[in-house]
Amino acid sequence: MKRINTGWYIVLMACTGLAPVPAQADDIGACCIPNDCVEVAAEDCRSCPEAEWLCAGDANGDGMVNGLDLMLLLSTGIYQSTRCEYDFTCDGIVDRKDVDYVKSPAHWFTCAPPEYCPGGFAGVGTTCAATECAACCLGPNDCVVTTQSLCAATNGVFLAEHDECPVQVIDAEILEPGGDIFVHRNVKVLDCPDGGKRAPCDPGTPIDAWISPAYSAMSVNFGTGYPPIPADFFETGSGAFFGDVPLEGVTLGAPYEEFGDADTLILRSGGDPFDRCSLPQPPEADPVEVDIEILALSLQGTDPIFVTNSGLWDVTVSLSDVHTDGIPGNDPPIGTVSATKTHCNGGTYTSIFNVYTRFTFTKVGNPGMVRVLDTGLLGAPWTYVTLDQATHPPDVEDPAIQWVHDVDPRMAVVNPICTEFNVGITDNAAVTSCDCNTNLVRDTCDIESGTSGDCNANGIPDECDPGPDCNSNGVPDECDIAAGTSLDINDDGIPDECLDPIPTVAEWGLIVMTLLLLTAATVVLRNHQRSRGRSMA
């Protein structure tokens, strides 16, 4: 059997569900793809998330993604077309999003040789009619449409009610540089929906949870940023300590178990910057600012530090006691989130907050020997660190981080129950028009509150639904028929009252009588004409 190019096949299958080259009957089985199932050979069954698509962006098929592909997109008729092989974002049209994808040098690469990625092949001889296909959550930004048994075999969470993977993605890394003193890297707390937790919070004071994986630049510096740790600090005769201490996160644990593996908690004491039902801001609008502060921090050195004349010491990092002692005036200046709402479900933000750190050193091999250095209690030159959240790797042109109101239920993210400001998540299905009835309320909220109906559950208020409404009652015809408000005896999708009416019995009688009279009159007339013809002869 002919083998097809895997990269294009994935795009075509994911976008359109097109069937591949027919296979031999004894070689095929059910294959799960987004929103569909096809019966193909095992080697042709692909069901990979977008991140694993091979050669996405290689518009000219030369094995590389570069400026030539961008030129092709902009200079030919495929732009603003629906040619799926160039629809790298798989949203049904070749548009600015696809151009932006190829325009970024970060996406330029040499295509890897074709590979076969894990798919949703149910087995030779299986049929789509007998196969349940659904999204399988494998972890952060990792989802595949497959069968329940294959999902279980990879320790995934089978989301039976969802036929496709999320349209939202988690921004992988956010960097908080504290100058030369302290650099903190964090990502969202992640877990699959059914296996994850929804962290509670008090309305108006939501908490953002983060984890801090080990990273080469995440460290604290003594000697260049902070002062060096002085001689005799660790023990009599110990030397001063200079240098970087690489760090990684450690799960907070009690009393923060509801936040999963989080090691950093940021409290938005000013609440959410936007109401979920509000509309996107105009481009010229100023950002909305709310107060934030760090609530908890738990890090450790990736390796012990070596201190001259003392040996090895383990390092942990937490918040200074001044953050928790409740004494007014001791805390560092309050931080702020500066957010804009650029689309109906969210937008972008930057933030800045200040941290006093507390270092705990425990001598390796002698856990009873502990030294504590609390920067909040020492005074100058020890000071608080200002952390400025921005995308990582840094985006000079736009360092803002994405946020959303509503998190896709298929997302592998632990987020607070009551917040409407979920940070570090990009919505790839974002729209900017969501007030079709111009009442200054998001259409989604109109439907949820009952202000607008949505009889066909397509997310469009009925009064704005472009579907046919032949009887002009403000309800789509399909909903009139489904509700029984209108009949559709011939099952043509058109309410019967909009068709030419069927005559009543009385009307039929009048029609028959009229036809009989016309027939009789015709006979009389013809007989009369014949009689005249004979008399004239």
Side-chain angles (χ1 to χ4, degrees):
M1 172 180 179
K2 181 181 178 181
R3 300 172 74 90
I4 62 174
N5 181 285
T6 308
W8 292 126
Y9 184 87
I10 295 168
V11 176
L12 288 168
M13 291 289 282
C15 295
T16 66
L18 294 176
V21 177
Q24 298 298 319
D26 58 355
D27 190 33
I28 66 174
C31 172
C32 295
I33 61 175
N35 291 312
D36 203 357
C37 175
V38 293
E39 294 177 6
V40 297
E43 66 178 10
D44 292 323
C45 183
R46 312 283 177 268
S47 185
C48 294
E50 181 180 347
E52 294 183 23
W53 289 358
L54 299 176
C55 298
D58 182 16
N60 63 0
D62 65 356
M64 294 181 291
V65 180
N66 53 31
L68 295 177
D69 302 297
L70 177 62
M71 293 173 62
L72 178 62
L73 284 175
L74 294 176
S75 63
T76 70
I78 62 173
Y79 187 59
Q80 290 296 330
S81 75
T82 56
R83 291 181 61 180
C84 197
E85 64 267 36
Y86 301 116
D87 181 16
F88 307 124
T89 59
C90 206
D91 59 2
I93 188 171
V94 182
D95 58 9
R96 174 56 57 184
K97 292 181 182 177
D98 304 292
V99 173
D100 287 344
Y101 179 92
V102 181
K103 183 171 66 174
S104 172
H107 294 146
W108 292 7
F109 60 95
T110 299
C111 297
E115 296 177 358
Y116 294 109
C117 50
F121 190 68
V124 172
T126 58
T127 64
C128 287
T131 301
E132 181 182 15
C133 298
C136 175
C137 176
L138 301 172
N141 292 340
D142 195 358
C143 174
V144 65
V145 176
T146 187
T147 66
Q148 185 169 7
S149 59
L150 289 174
C151 185
T154 54
N155 297 317
V157 176
F158 191 66
L159 308 178
E161 67 277 18
H162 299 294
D163 294 332
E164 58 182 345
C165 290
V167 296
Q168 296 176 348
V169 296
I170 299 163
D171 291 335
E173 301 175 3
I174 295 175
L175 191 66
E176 298 168 347
D180 294 326
I181 305 175
F182 178 72
V183 176
H184 185 202
R185 168 188 177 245
N186 50 34
V187 300
K188 291 296 294 181
V189 178
L190 309 168
D191 204 344
C192 289
D194 291 354
K197 300 178 181 179
R198 291 276 285 168
C201 62
D202 295 326
T205 55
I207 297 169
D208 297 324
W210 302 90
I211 58 176
S212 309
Y215 169 61
S216 60
M218 187 170 75
S219 62
V220 59
N221 180 275
F222 294 99
T224 303
Y226 283 127
I229 299 177
D232 298 324
F233 171 82
F234 292 94
E235 56 185 306
T236 302
S238 64
F241 178 78
F242 297 80
D244 283 327
V245 180
L247 300 171
E248 63 184 357
V250 182
T251 301
L252 284 164
Y256 301 114
E257 297 94 339
E258 65 267 25
F259 293 101
D261 294 330
D263 55 61
T264 305
L265 301 180
I266 307 297
L267 171 66
R268 276 183 280 113
S269 50
D272 292 333
F274 293 98
D275 185 279
R276 173 176 172 272
C277 295
S278 64
L279 301 181
Q281 294 174 286
E284 66 276 8
D286 293 328
V288 174
E289 294 188 348
V290 296
D291 292 344
I292 62 169
E293 56 188 293
I294 190 164
L295 178 65
L297 178 67
S298 176
L299 306 173
Q300 68 181 9
T302 57
D303 295 293
I305 64 170
F306 177 77
V307 179
T308 303
N309 298 328
S310 184
L312 297 175
W313 291 76
D314 289 322
V315 184
T316 60
V317 185
S318 57
L319 292 183
S320 166
D321 289 344
V322 301
H323 285 278
T324 58
D325 62 10
I327 301 175
N330 282 2
D331 294 336
I334 200 74
T336 58
V337 162
S338 181
T340 58
K341 186 168 182 177
T342 58
H343 58 82
C344 298
N345 192 38
T348 61
Y349 82 98
T350 58
S351 70
I352 187 169
F353 55 96
N354 304 294
V355 184
Y356 276 119
T357 49
R358 182 178 190 268
F359 299 94
T360 301
F361 303 91
T362 303
K363 189 164 187 178
V364 175
N366 186 1
M369 194 170 183
V370 177
R371 299 290 183 266
V372 175
L373 193 158
D374 191 324
T375 62
L377 303 178
L378 293 176
W382 299 89
T383 184
Y384 58 80
V385 179
T386 298
L387 299 179
D388 184 3
Q389 279 194 323
T391 54
H392 177 68
D395 186 331
V396 177
E397 294 183 1
D398 184 14
I401 306 164
Q402 299 286 324
W403 64 272
V404 297
H405 284 306
D406 303 326
V407 178
D408 190 313
R410 299 162 292 185
M411 287 286 286
V413 58
V414 176
N415 62 294
I417 293 172
C418 64
T419 185
E420 296 178 352
F421 186 75
N422 297 285
V423 299
I425 299 174
T426 298
D427 192 338
N428 288 325
V431 296
T432 56
S433 178
C434 51
D435 183 26
C436 72
N437 53 17
T438 64
N439 66 345
L440 302 182
V441 177
R442 188 178 168 198
D443 292 338
T444 296
C445 297
D446 280 337
I447 294 170
E448 291 173 350
S449 67
T451 303
S452 297
D454 184 21
C455 59
N456 54 6
N458 65 352
I460 302 174
D462 290 341
E463 65 267 28
C464 307
D465 202 316
D469 181 22
C470 71
N471 53 17
S472 302
N473 66 345
V475 178
D477 292 342
E478 62 177 304
C479 299
D480 280 336
I481 295 170
T485 307
S486 297
L487 297 178
D488 184 21
I489 295 176
N490 60 358
D491 198 28
D492 64 353
I494 302 174
D496 291 343
E497 67 265 28
C498 299
L499 301 175
D500 292 335
I502 299 174
T504 63
V505 173
E507 290 170 335
W508 272 119
L510 180 60
I511 292 170
V512 171
M513 183 62 69
T514 302
L515 290 173
L516 290 173
L517 290 173
L518 288 173
T519 302
T522 301
V523 172
V524 170
L525 179 61
R526 287 178 178 174
N527 289 337
H528 176 69
Q529 289 174 339
R530 291 193 186 101
S531 296
R532 287 186 63 188
R534 286 195 295 269
S535 62
M536 289 177 67

